[in-house]
Coordinates of all heavy atoms in Angstrom, one line a residue:
S59 N 23.6 16.0 28.6 CA 22.8 15.6 29.8 C 21.4 15.2 29.4 O 20.9 15.6 28.3 CB 22.8 16.7 30.8 OG 21.9 17.8 30.4
A60 N 20.7 14.5 30.3 CA 19.4 14.1 30.0 C 18.5 15.3 29.7 O 17.7 15.3 28.8 CB 18.8 13.2 31.1
Q61 N 18.6 16.4 30.5 CA 17.8 17.6 30.3 C 18.2 18.2 29.0 O 17.2 18.6 28.3 CB 18.0 18.6 31.5 CG 17.2 19.8 31.3 CD 17.1 20.7 32.5 OE1 16.5 20.2 33.5 NE2 17.7 21.9 32.5
Q62 N 19.4 18.3 28.7 CA 19.8 18.9 27.4 C 19.2 18.1 26.2 O 18.7 18.7 25.3 CB 21.3 19.1 27.3 CG 21.9 20.1 28.2 CD 23.4 20.0 28.2 OE1 24.0 18.9 28.0 NE2 24.1 21.1 28.6
L63 N 19.4 16.8 26.3 CA 19.0 15.9 25.2 C 17.5 16.0 25.0 O 17.0 16.3 23.9 CB 19.4 14.5 25.5 CG 18.8 13.4 24.6 CD1 19.2 13.6 23.2 CD2 19.1 12.0 25.2
W64 N 16.7 15.7 26.1 CA 15.3 15.6 25.9 C 14.6 17.0 25.7 O 13.6 17.1 25.0 CB 14.7 14.8 27.1 CG 15.0 13.4 26.9 CD1 15.9 12.7 27.6 CD2 14.4 12.5 25.9 NE1 16.0 11.4 27.1 CE2 15.1 11.3 26.1 CE3 13.4 12.6 25.0 CZ2 14.7 10.2 25.3 CZ3 13.1 11.6 24.2 CH2 13.8 10.3 24.3
G65 N 15.2 18.0 26.2 CA 14.7 19.4 25.9 C 14.9 19.7 24.4 O 14.1 20.3 23.7
T66 N 16.1 19.3 23.9 CA 16.4 19.5 22.5 C 15.4 18.6 21.6 O 14.9 19.1 20.6 CB 17.8 19.1 22.2 OG1 18.7 19.9 22.9 CG2 18.2 19.3 20.7
L68 N 12.4 17.6 22.4 CA 11.0 18.1 22.5 C 10.9 19.4 21.7 O 10.0 19.6 20.8 CB 10.6 18.4 23.9 CG 9.2 19.0 24.1 CD1 8.1 18.1 23.5 CD2 9.0 19.3 25.6
A84 N 7.0 13.4 22.5 CA 6.7 14.2 23.6 C 6.5 13.4 24.9 O 7.0 13.8 26.0 CB 5.4 15.1 23.3
P85 N 5.8 12.3 24.9 CA 5.7 11.5 26.1 C 7.1 11.0 26.7 O 7.3 11.0 27.9 CB 4.9 10.3 25.7 CG 4.1 10.7 24.5 CD 5.0 11.7 23.8
E86 N 8.0 10.7 25.8 CA 9.3 10.3 26.3 C 10.1 11.5 26.9 O 10.8 11.4 27.9 CB 10.1 9.6 25.2 CG 9.5 8.2 24.8 CD 10.4 7.3 24.2 OE1 11.6 7.3 24.5 OE2 10.0 6.6 23.3
A87 N 9.9 12.7 26.2 CA 10.5 13.9 26.8 C 9.9 14.2 28.1 O 10.6 14.5 29.1 CB 10.3 15.0 25.8
R88 N 8.6 14.1 28.2 CA 7.9 14.4 29.5 C 8.5 13.5 30.6 O 8.7 13.9 31.8 CB 6.4 14.3 29.4 CG 5.7 14.7 30.7 CD 4.2 14.5 30.6 NE 3.6 15.4 29.6 CZ 3.2 16.6 29.8 NH1 3.4 17.2 30.9 NH2 2.6 17.3 28.8
A89 N 8.7 12.2 30.3 CA 9.2 11.2 31.3 C 10.6 11.5 31.7 O 11.1 11.1 32.7 CB 9.1 9.8 30.7
N90 N 11.4 12.2 30.8 CA 12.8 12.4 31.1 C 13.1 13.9 31.5 O 14.3 14.2 31.8 CB 13.6 12.1 29.9 CG 13.7 10.6 29.7 OD1 14.5 10.0 30.3 ND2 12.9 10.0 28.8
L91 N 12.1 14.7 31.6 CA 12.3 16.1 32.0 C 11.5 16.5 33.2 O 10.4 15.9 33.4 CB 11.9 17.1 30.8 CG 12.7 17.0 29.6 CD1 12.1 17.8 28.5 CD2 14.1 17.6 29.8
S92 N 12.0 17.4 34.0 CA 11.1 18.0 35.1 C 10.0 18.8 34.4 O 10.1 19.1 33.2 CB 11.9 18.9 35.9 OG 12.3 20.1 35.2
A93 N 9.0 19.1 35.1 CA 7.9 19.9 34.6 C 8.4 21.2 34.1 O 7.9 21.7 33.1 CB 6.8 20.0 35.7
E94 N 9.3 21.8 34.9 CA 9.9 23.1 34.5 C 10.6 23.0 33.2 O 10.5 23.9 32.3 CB 10.8 23.6 35.6 CG 10.1 24.0 36.9 CD 9.8 22.7 37.8 OE1 10.4 21.6 37.5 OE2 9.0 22.9 38.7
A95 N 11.4 22.0 33.0 CA 12.2 21.8 31.8 C 11.3 21.5 30.6 O 11.6 22.0 29.5 CB 13.3 20.7 32.0
Y96 N 10.3 20.7 30.8 CA 9.4 20.4 29.8 C 8.7 21.7 29.3 O 8.6 21.9 28.0 CB 8.3 19.4 30.3 CG 7.4 18.8 29.2 CD1 7.8 17.7 28.4 CD2 6.1 19.4 29.0 CE1 6.9 17.2 27.5 CE2 5.3 18.9 28.1 CZ 5.7 17.8 27.3 OH 4.8 17.3 26.3
S97 N 8.2 22.5 30.2 CA 7.6 23.7 29.8 C 8.6 24.7 29.1 O 8.3 25.4 28.2 CB 7.0 24.4 31.1 OG 6.4 25.6 30.8
A98 N 9.8 24.7 29.6 CA 10.9 25.6 29.1 C 11.2 25.2 27.6 O 11.4 26.1 26.8 CB 12.1 25.6 29.9
A99 N 11.3 23.9 27.4 CA 11.6 23.4 26.0 C 10.5 23.8 25.1 O 10.7 24.2 23.9 CB 11.8 21.9 26.0
K100 N 9.2 23.7 25.5 CA 8.1 24.2 24.7 C 8.2 25.7 24.5 O 7.9 26.2 23.4 CB 6.8 23.8 25.3 CG 6.5 22.3 25.4 CD 5.1 22.0 25.8 CE 4.6 22.6 27.0 NZ 3.2 22.2 27.4
S101 N 8.6 26.4 25.5 CA 8.7 27.8 25.4 C 9.8 28.2 24.4 O 9.7 29.2 23.6 CB 9.1 28.5 26.8 OG 8.0 28.3 27.6
P139 N 14.3 31.7 31.8 CA 13.5 30.6 31.2 C 13.0 29.5 32.1 O 12.3 28.6 31.7 CB 14.5 30.0 30.2 CG 15.8 30.3 30.7 CD 15.7 31.6 31.5
G140 N 13.4 29.6 33.4 CA 13.0 28.5 34.3 C 13.9 27.3 34.4 O 13.7 26.4 35.2
V141 N 14.9 27.3 33.6 CA 16.0 26.2 33.6 C 17.3 26.9 33.4 O 17.4 28.1 33.2 CB 15.7 25.2 32.5 CG1 14.5 24.4 32.7 CG2 15.7 25.8 31.1
D142 N 18.4 26.1 33.5 CA 19.7 26.6 33.2 C 19.7 27.4 31.9 O 19.2 26.8 30.9 CB 20.7 25.5 33.2 CG 22.1 25.9 32.9 OD1 22.7 26.3 33.9 OD2 22.5 25.9 31.8
D145 N 21.1 25.6 28.8 CA 20.2 24.5 28.3 C 19.2 25.2 27.4 O 18.9 24.7 26.2 CB 19.5 23.7 29.4 CG 20.5 22.8 30.1 OD1 21.7 22.7 29.7 OD2 20.0 22.2 31.1
W149 N 18.6 24.6 23.3 CA 17.3 24.3 22.7 C 16.9 25.3 21.6 O 16.4 25.0 20.5 CB 16.2 24.2 23.7 CG 16.5 23.2 24.8 CD1 17.4 22.1 24.7 CD2 16.0 23.2 26.1 NE1 17.4 21.5 26.0 CE2 16.5 22.1 26.8 CE3 15.0 24.0 26.8 CZ2 16.2 21.8 28.1 CZ3 14.7 23.7 28.1 CH2 15.3 22.6 28.8

Side-chain angles (χ1 to χ4, degrees):
S59 71
Q61 178 165 295
Q62 290 170 334
L63 169 65
W64 286 102
T66 302
L68 179 60
E86 293 201 39
R88 185 182 297 273
N90 285 282
L91 292 169
S92 68
E94 295 81 13
Y96 187 84
S97 179
K100 293 191 308 180
S101 295
V141 293
D142 182 82
D145 290 355
W149 305 336

